[in-house]
Structures are given as structure tokens and as C-alpha cells.
Amino acid sequence: MNKEMLMQYMDIAPEVAQALAQGKPIVALESTILSHGMPYPENVDFAKKIEQEIRDLGAVPATLAIIDGRLKAGLTEEELLTMCKGENVRKVSRRDMPIVIANKLTGATTVATTMIIASLAGIRVFATGGIGGVHRGGEDSMDISADLQELAHTNVMVVCAGAKMILDIGRTLEYLETMGVPVLGMDTDDFPAFYCRKSGFGVDYNAKTAADVAKIAKAKWDLGLDGGMLIGNPVPQEYAMDFDEMSAVIDRAMAAADAAGVKGKNITPFLLAHIVELTGGDSLKTNMQLAFNNARAAAKIAVELANLD
Ligand code: PSU
Ligand code: MN
């Protein structure tokens, strides 16, 4: 798509536009984690801090969202607040995007839509908490997040702390293999399980440094091997939660979802809110810390990637 056409739909914040023009490192951030993944007002402090973590390492943060139908790459403080309050803010995945844009609505971007907007803007590195995937029981419900399809096709690297145990992690990784998505561990052999450092499932490659990751991304995209990459970065040890304890909490949250008949796009936000409640806020603290950790890893990778160009 040409730039003129793109600008009919997108607003790029001045700082982000300047970084793009100068080939400086940029890290994209999603807004669903704010609007539908964390409670207000704790998410306001989080949103500001995660941007700061990226700046501290010499990269430019760009939180992505759709506001009044405009694609936004980089938010003002007021726009960030809108996403955190989450009033009349939809959860927007790929299928929802054209409807929200055409009707000038406001939406938070999931991993899938953050990848799409990042790619349109020319941003290659994106940090989040956890990705969507194949839900438990997905072999019957066919509830497979559009995040996985996006990773198959869109040239953006996603740095995450793995996937929550609300998902079937084994099937999620199988799906990614089928779709040709490299899954790297950030100094780990084990794909992380969000609150916990290990899922029991292996990664394709243990990358020891940010420079290793950048070299792999460059080789992939230089050769036209289109699609994303997934980097699993384990939560720092001091914030990790007990695997068995979290498994029990997640089972309870899933039983509550089942009893309430929650399905489809509402299931992930429902489970996240219940998990925070059931852990008395401990999971929220871990969630924030793992996201900061991912932002730092992503910033280092973005710096290395910019050096390779
Ligand atoms: N997993 C989390 N936290 C989140 C999400 C997933 O641990 O906030 C959000 C992300 O935005 C992700 C989306 O892209 O949920 C996946 O939703 P769905 O399964 O409906 O595609
Ligand atoms: Mn789904």
C-alpha cells in the first residue's frame, strides 16, 4: 500500500514518525492488554512505565490502538487514558478491524491487530504479555486465536512471556509449527507459561542474546520468508508463580467461564479478570512485571535489528 493511502487511515505520533524516518529502533505495544487485560486505574501507571522501560534502552515506544476509526501508532497521554478507562472500547482482532474503522469506533488492538498496524507503519518488533492461541478444548470448539494466523503471515516479531495455561500450549505450538513460525526462547529451552517460567514444551531454538534474535529475524525477512516470529521470554524468577497453584486457579476460572456460558472473544478477558480476583492481585503484579521484562528484551532486539540495517 502506498503511503498516501495509508495516511488516509493512520496517524503516526511525531516521535514515532521521526524514528521511522531515521531508522531508529521502535517497539510496538498493544492496547487490549490495557483495555481488557488489566484493571483501571492500575493500568495507567503500567502503560506509562512500560513505555519508559523502552525509552531507557534507547528505543521509541509506540502503543497502538484504533480511536474514532483512526489507526494510531503512538498515543498521546489523553489517548492512553482512553484505552486504560476502556469505556466503549471494543476488543479488535483482524475480522473486527474494517467494521470499527468504517464506523469510526474505538478499539483496543489484540496481538493480531497490533501486528497488522505495526507492519503497516513499518515497525518490526512488538512486546506484549501473552499471546492468544489454541484454547483448551479447541479441537472441538475450534477456538483458535487469530493471533496465530497473524504470526503466520505478518512480518512482525512478538516478544511474549509465552502463553497462559488457559490455552492448550502443546496444540498452540503445533499450530505455529504448521504455519512456519519460528518460536525462539530468550535464553531458555522451554517455552514459558506466562506466570511460570516453564510450560514443559520446548522452543525451536534457545537464543542467548538479543543480537542472536536480530540475526535470525534478518535472515528470515531478507529471504522473503514472510510471517512473524515468536520470542518466549520467561518471567523474572522473583515474580514467577507456582505452577501447580496457578494450574488450580486457572481450572477454577475456566469452570466459572463454563458456568457463565462465556465464549468466543469474551473468554480471554473473562478468565484474566477471574485469575486476578482468585490470586488476590498477585497475578496482576506478575503480569505487569513480565510485560516490563518483555519490553526490555524487545527494546534490545530492536536496537540490534536497527544496527544490522
Ligand atoms: N493473553 C493474555 N493477556 C491478554 C491477551 C491474551 O495473557 O491481554 C489478549 C491479547 O490482546 C491477545 C488476545 O491478542 O487477548 C487474544 O484474544 P483471542 O483469544 O480472542 O484472539
Ligand atoms: Mn478466540
Side-chain angles (χ1 to χ4, degrees), residues 70-127:
R70 301 285 300 170
L71 307 181
K72 301 278 179 184
L75 302 184
T76 63
E77 207 166 319
E78 193 190 337
E79 289 167 340
L80 209 56
L81 201 59
T82 299
M83 301 321 288
C84 288
K85 283 190 178 153
E87 287 159 14
N88 295 317
V89 175
R90 293 163 181 239
K91 176 178 161 190
V92 181
S93 196
R94 174 180 266 267
R95 59 139 188 223
D96 311 297
M97 245 179 103
I99 300 163
V100 168
I101 293 167
N103 290 306
K104 299 190 171 23
L105 302 173
T106 293
T109 56
T110 62
V111 168
T113 37
T114 304
M115 289 179 74
I116 295 168
I117 299 171
S119 167
L120 287 169
I123 303 170
R124 295 170 299 175
V125 182
F126 159 30

Side-chain angles (χ1 to χ4, degrees), residues 30-34 36-38 91-93 95 108-114 126 128-135 143-148 162-164 166-167 194-195 264-269 272 287 290:
E30 64 158 297
S31 41
T32 291
I33 194 175
L34 304 175
H36 303 286
M38 288 179 185
K91 176 178 161 190
V92 181
S93 196
R95 59 139 188 223
T109 56
T110 62
V111 168
T113 37
T114 304
F126 159 30
T128 185
I131 57 157
V134 181
H135 278 260
D143 189 347
I144 301 172
S145 174
D147 293 354
L148 299 186
K164 281 203 177 71
I166 60 174
L167 302 177
F194 200 80
Y195 301 115
K265 72 189 278 185
N266 296 324
I267 189 113
T268 301
L272 295 181
N287 196 347
L290 65 82

Side-chain angles (χ1 to χ4, degrees), residues 8 36 159 176 213 240 255 297:
Q8 286 179 27
H36 303 286
V159 182
L176 290 169
V213 176

Side-chain angles (χ1 to χ4, degrees), residues 11 30 69 73-74 86 98 105 137 139 157 192 200 222 228 231 233 256 294:
D11 299 320
E30 64 158 297
L105 302 173
E139 63 273 30
M157 179 190 321
D222 275 355
I231 319 300
N233 185 36
N294 295 339

